[in-house]
Amino acid sequence: MEKRPIIALDFSSQEEIQTFLAQFPAEEKLFVKIGMELFYQEGPSIVHELTAAGHDVFLDLKLHDIPNTVKKAMKGLAKLGVRMTNVHAAGGIEMMAAAKEGLAEGTAAGKDVPDLIAVTQLTSTSEEQMHHDQLIQVPLKDSVVHYAKCAQEAGLDGVVCSALEVEMIHAATSDEFICLTPGIRPKGASVGDQKRVMDPQQAREIGSNYIVVGRPITQSETPYESYLQIKKEWNGEA
Ligand code: C5P
C-alpha cells in the first residue's frame, strides 16, 4: 500500500489551513499533524473539519499527567476520531498504559483504536541538559532507547524519534514498533532550523515507519507538487 508522508500543519488558524488545503485536489486524502498551538486556539472543531473532509489526523498534544487524568483526556480525544496521538514517556509506564486504555474506551464500536506513540527525550534536549535538569546520568541515546522499551512494555504502538535513532530503537523493540520521524527534507531542500535531517528515501532505507514533513510542503509555492514528490521519494519511486 502506498505510504503517505504526514504533513505538519503548523499554521495558526483554521482559515490558513483551509487556504492551504484548497491547493490539493479534494480526492487526495491526506495524513496531517495538528499540534498543541493550533488545537489550543481552535479546539476540537479543527479536527472535525479535517476528518469530515476524509483526512487522517495525528493529534500531537504530548500528554503528561497522572494516569487517571491522562486516561480520561485520551477517552475524549478518541471520540474526535483521530488516527494517532501521543504522550511523554517520562510520565511512566502506568501513565502510558492508562492512556492506551482511555483511547480504547473512547473509540466507537467497530472503529480502530488510534495509534498511541510516545515522545522519549525531546530533540531540543541536549545530553548536558538531560544530565543537569533531569539528573539522568546515562548517555542520551540510552535514555531514548530505555523510554522506547518502556513505551513498548506499556502496550504503546511506537515513539516519535530522530531518524538517526530509528535503527537502535527497532533493534531494542521490533521492526513493527512505530518510529515516526520528523526532520525530513527532500534532496536539495533548505534545512531551516532542523539540525540533523534525512531525505525521505534515506528515512525509508533505515526503516522509519512514518515521516513528518512540514515546511517543505506548507511553505512551498506549489504544495501539491512538493507533496507528490516527497510521497514518491518516501515510496521509493523517485
Ligand atoms: O517544518 P518541519 O518539517 O521542520 O516540521 C516538522 C514538524 O515536526 C514540526 O511540527 C515540529 O514541531 C515537529 N517535530 C520536530 N522534531 C521533533 C519533534 C517534532 O521537528 N523532534
Side-chain angles (χ1 to χ4, degrees):
M1 208 181 96
E2 194 180 48
K3 299 196 291 182
R4 293 169 298 172
I6 299 176
I7 306 175
L9 293 182
D10 293 325
F11 295 105
S12 41
S13 72
Q14 205 146 340
E15 292 72 49
E16 283 179 58
I17 288 190
Q18 279 163 354
T19 307
F20 172 73
L21 292 177
Q23 300 174 82
F24 289 74
E27 65 276 12
E28 186 79 47
K29 300 305 176 199
L30 305 172
F31 197 163
V32 297
K33 177 172 95 71
I34 296 291
M36 61 173 86
E37 193 183 331
L38 190 68
F39 191 76
Y40 291 157
Q41 300 253 3
E42 301 285 354
S45 70
I46 186 72
V47 177
H48 288 136
E49 189 164 309
L50 291 163
T51 54
H55 304 308
D56 285 317
V57 176
F58 165 29
L59 195 52
D60 179 18
L61 298 182
K62 302 185 177 72
L63 274 67
H64 185 173
D65 207 320
I66 60 170
N68 187 49
T69 301
V70 170
K71 181 176 173 177
K72 288 179 180 162
M74 283 295 178
K75 194 171 168 181
L77 294 184
K79 290 184 182 149
L80 298 181
V82 300
R83 163 90 189 273
M84 182 184 282
T85 188
N86 58 1
V87 290
H88 268 285
I93 293 172
E94 194 185 331
M95 186 208 75
M96 290 191 273
K100 189 79 191 177
E101 274 174 38
L103 284 178
E105 281 182 17
T107 302
K111 297 272 187 194
D112 289 336
V113 177
D115 281 330
L116 180 63
I117 60 179
V119 174
T120 59
Q121 290 289 351
L122 292 169
T123 44
S124 53
T125 304
S126 69
E127 190 160 88
E128 293 70 40
Q129 285 171 327
M130 184 191 75
H131 289 162
H132 179 271
D133 301 356
Q134 303 176 30
L135 215 60
I136 293 175
Q137 301 300 347
V138 296
L140 185 77
K141 66 178 179 42
D142 292 4
S143 173
V144 167
V145 168
H146 174 67
Y147 275 144
K149 288 204 274 194
C150 289
Q152 187 184 40
E153 193 180 329
L156 266 61
D157 303 287
V159 289
V160 184
C161 63
S162 144
L164 301 168
E165 296 162 353
V166 170
E167 285 167 306
M168 64 183 185
I169 291 172
H170 277 158
T173 57
S174 73
D175 286 347
E176 292 71 42
F177 191 68
I178 295 171
C179 284
L180 174 145
T181 55
I184 303 295
R185 291 290 175 268
K187 285 189 203 97
S190 105
V191 169
D193 55 2
Q194 296 281 14
K195 295 201 173 56
R196 294 169 302 162
V197 300
M198 268 194 197
D199 65 47
Q201 187 187 332
Q202 291 170 315
R204 186 172 52 83
E205 284 165 7
I206 51 101
S208 175
N209 307 79
Y210 290 93
I211 55 171
V212 174
V213 186
R215 287 161 290 181
I217 300 171
T218 57
Q219 304 299 315
S220 165
E221 288 184 3
T222 51
Y224 184 48
E225 281 167 30
S226 302
Y227 171 73
L228 291 180
Q229 180 58 32
I230 290 168
K231 188 160 76 163
K232 263 193 198 165
E233 288 184 29
W234 175 225
N235 282 280
E237 296 159 357

